[in-house]
Amino acid sequence: MSSLRPGDITDEMIQAMDTAKRQGLQKDLRALAANIRADAEGRYDSAEPGWRAGVEWTLL
């Protein structure tokens, strides 16, 4: 098996790297949203229902 040189990077390799990066970011954002939701539960009972619905929609 020959080793790859810098010019040997294929489109498939680039696509796989982009997919992995995107999946990692999605995982990080889901974890962040879960942390925000857990921290915010019960804190904003006096807030208007429309405001709360907007926050919930944003986190989803």
Side-chain angles (χ1 to χ4, degrees):
M1 175 158 53
S2 64
S3 62
L4 289 174
R5 297 175 298 223
D8 292 340
I9 297 173
T10 65
D11 289 340
E12 291 82 15
M13 291 175 179
I14 293 170
Q15 187 176 16
M17 181 186 66
D18 288 342
T19 299
K21 192 184 305 183
R22 191 175 332 108
Q23 288 173 345
L25 289 173
Q26 288 173 348
K27 182 179 177 182
D28 291 347
L29 286 173
R30 285 187 185 109
L32 178 60
N35 288 339
I36 291 170
R37 182 179 292 129
D39 288 345
E41 283 181 352
R43 285 193 187 183
Y44 302 106
D45 290 335
S46 62
E48 297 175 12
W51 182 87
R52 189 176 310 135
V55 171
E56 290 172 358
W57 180 86
T58 301
L59 290 174
L60 292 174

